[in-house]
Amino acid sequence: MNDPRIIIALDFPDAKQALDLTAKLDPASCRVKVGKELFTAAGPQLVEKLMDNGFEVFLDLKFHDIPSTVAGACKAAAGLGVWMMNIHALGGRKMLTAAREAVPVGNTRLIAVTLLTSMGSEDMNEIGLKGDPQDVVQRLALLARDCGLDGVVASALEAPMLRKMMGESFCLVTPGIRPADVSQGDQKRVTSPCQAIENGADYLVIGRPVTQAEDPVGMLRRLNEEIGELKDGQGLSA
Ligand code: C5P
């Protein structure tokens, strides 16, 4: 089955802009991510519309609340039939376990956010997370696996370490991806698409480099070609 590795972050303020962009894209060449901004503005109807249009959807709402509230939210999200969804590992063991129970292993992949890729060491220290980002990410990823989650969102810079620790079947989704000639924006820990794949990422979340490109379709094609060549050349399995 076709398993596109690029997930386009539809970080738009309304459904129209998201639908205008996706109308140009082929669901065989990417998946799409609906995050807090778009979901708050356009709701589950848009998620259903995107799925009707053939796209597999990663619902990126990063739930983080008391266990029963997160369990209910996860059940509702999985009920929409999304391909992937996430919760915040910082919610702790009870919350992660409740979420897993609400979304049994199956069609919807349930993954955890470890540390946002916009957080540097100073930002972490300021909120009381001591140590370097790698240690925090490692601890949260182990906790997520222990609670039965399917994978984590993490910076591609942490992917080699996570791949080694977690084994081949643990899903690694990496945002903070920037082609060499595109602005870094507010992301602090960035990696090129090829480097992310080489580092062991399964899926790459890419937003502005594609959505703000003059030619989004051309940019997506270029990125798919880059990682496709890598895949062929290096005999990667997926
Ligand atoms: O535009 P850009 O490529 O920076 O978009 C990255 C996307 O990945 C955004 O939608 C952001 O919310 C999301 N994300 C992230 N870091 C995480 C988890 C998700 O940047 N740790």
Side-chain angles (χ1 to χ4, degrees), residues 2-233:
N2 184 41
D3 183 22
R5 285 173 171 239
I6 294 181
I7 304 171
I8 302 295
L10 300 177
D11 292 326
F12 293 115
D14 56 48
K16 182 179 182 310
Q17 290 184 50
L19 291 170
D20 284 351
L21 176 75
T22 52
K24 297 179 198 151
L25 304 177
D26 177 359
S29 67
C30 66
R31 291 178 163 106
V32 294
K33 179 171 87 67
V34 175
K36 290 190 165 105
E37 181 186 17
L38 186 57
F39 190 80
T40 304
Q45 297 82 353
L46 174 70
V47 172
E48 279 159 357
K49 176 100 177 105
L50 290 166
M51 292 191 306
D52 285 348
N53 292 348
F55 289 96
E56 290 195 307
V57 175
F58 171 16
L59 191 60
D60 177 24
L61 298 180
K62 301 185 180 74
F63 294 134
H64 187 178
D65 207 315
I66 59 170
S68 60
T69 300
V70 167
C74 285
K75 207 167 168 196
L80 286 172
V82 296
W83 165 72
M84 179 179 274
M85 58 175 291
N86 63 4
I87 56 181
H88 227 299
L90 284 169
R93 179 178 296 277
K94 291 196 186 76
M95 193 202 85
L96 294 167
T97 305
R100 179 76 283 178
E101 281 167 10
V103 183
V105 175
N107 293 337
T108 301
R109 288 156 186 75
L110 178 65
I111 63 171
V113 175
T114 53
L115 199 60
L116 298 174
T117 46
S118 55
M119 299 278 282
S121 299
E122 276 180 29
D123 305 301
M124 281 175 45
N125 290 341
E126 197 176 22
I127 57 163
L129 288 172
K130 304 289 179 209
D132 79 279
Q134 292 238 353
D135 296 336
V136 176
V137 168
Q138 198 167 321
R139 221 168 41 238
L140 292 172
L142 282 170
L143 176 65
R145 191 185 61 178
D146 213 33
C147 297
L149 268 67
D150 299 308
V152 289
V153 184
S155 156
L157 298 174
E158 278 112 32
M161 173 257 300
L162 291 174
R163 179 58 69 217
K164 205 161 151 217
M165 276 173 53
M166 304 294 176
E168 287 306 310
S169 59
F170 198 68
C171 184
L172 298 181
V173 178
T174 63
I177 304 292
R178 289 292 175 272
D181 52 350
V182 172
S183 141
Q184 198 166 321
D186 56 0
Q187 295 283 17
K188 292 216 170 120
R189 296 178 287 134
V190 299
T191 314
S192 75
C194 286
Q195 191 61 55
I197 297 284
E198 280 176 341
N199 285 2
D202 293 300
Y203 300 105
L204 315 182
V205 173
I206 306 182
R208 289 160 291 183
V210 170
T211 59
Q212 311 286 309
E214 264 178 43
D215 173 14
V217 179
M219 177 58 90
L220 176 60
R221 191 182 318 114
R222 177 190 132 183
L223 296 173
N224 266 322
E225 277 165 12
E226 272 178 35
I227 60 175
E229 275 164 27
L230 192 74
K231 205 160 71 179
D232 299 341

